[in-house]
Amino acid sequence: MALFDNFKYPVSGFHFVVYFNGLLPNPVDLSFQSVSGLSVTVETESYAEGGENRFVHEIPKGLKFSTLTLKRGLKSVPSSVAKWCEDAYEKFEFKRLNLIIVLLSENHIPIKTWNVVGAYPIKYELGEFNAETQSILIETLELKYDYFKLLSIGDIIPT
């Protein structure tokens, strides 16, 4: 029965890392409080059937990917991800990067891995400065991307 214990419950989404391909590796840039926006929608076009007014068909015409949002506590050490964002909004220099988002088990073993292709920053936001609370200052990054793909073991480990 121990073989099927892992299939009893849904996967939890609180243990994950994010890798930014093309930036200097920095342990500070692996951990985030939350990642959202791995979403795709099929856009459709209405097509009325010729000679028959009762039927309208929806035909797929393309895919639309949402905005990826990453949140984390602001760090006091240098961050290559923060520098990447600063280059975009201070110098208007946009460098597209691929991101790897890895969902991990409680034993730090990858469960699922997504490759986010062609990401670039479109919004950088700092949370509220408030002297009345003792909350952590949160930085939020919003990224546009071309598409994402769920990777299989064969995609990750070369044969």
Side-chain angles (χ1 to χ4, degrees):
M1 263 328 210
L3 175 64
F4 296 104
D5 286 345
N6 291 337
F7 302 108
K8 287 183 182 177
Y9 305 105
V11 176
S12 60
F14 64 85
H15 190 36
F16 58 92
V17 292
V18 180
Y19 297 98
F20 288 79
N21 292 340
L23 296 180
L24 291 173
N26 187 345
V28 169
D29 292 329
L30 295 177
S31 58
F32 286 86
Q33 173 185 332
S34 69
V35 174
S36 61
L38 283 177
S39 173
V40 61
T41 304
V42 176
E43 294 180 323
T44 60
E45 182 177 339
S46 297
Y47 179 78
E49 189 168 318
E52 183 64 60
N53 293 333
R54 295 180 297 161
F55 301 109
V56 175
H57 302 282
E58 295 291 324
I59 300 170
K61 70 174 189 173
L63 300 175
K64 182 175 182 178
F65 292 88
S66 67
T67 301
L68 189 68
T69 303
L70 308 171
K71 293 183 180 185
R72 67 179 179 181
L74 182 67
K75 311 283 194 215
S76 60
V77 296
S79 161
S80 52
V81 171
K83 174 76 171 98
W84 175 60
C85 290
E86 288 170 14
D87 287 346
Y89 69 79
E90 288 179 358
K91 301 176 186 174
F92 211 67
E93 293 176 1
F94 292 89
K95 179 181 178 185
R96 289 176 170 258
L97 299 177
N98 294 344
L99 282 65
I100 303 290
I101 301 170
V102 183
L103 181 63
L104 302 168
S105 71
E106 65 274 2
N107 298 321
H108 314 293
I109 298 170
I111 298 172
K112 298 273 186 186
T113 303
W114 294 266
N115 183 22
V116 178
V117 177
Y120 59 94
I122 60 167
K123 183 176 180 182
Y124 179 83
E125 179 180 2
L126 283 174
E128 178 184 25
F129 293 70
N130 188 340
E132 296 177 353
T133 65
Q134 295 181 15
S135 59
I136 294 173
L137 185 59
I138 301 297
E139 67 178 344
T140 303
L141 314 174
E142 288 188 21
L143 311 174
K144 274 295 193 192
Y145 59 95
D146 295 333
Y147 66 94
F148 69 87
K149 178 183 176 188
L150 180 64
L151 298 178
S152 66
I153 294 296
D155 294 330
I156 300 167
I157 302 171
T159 54

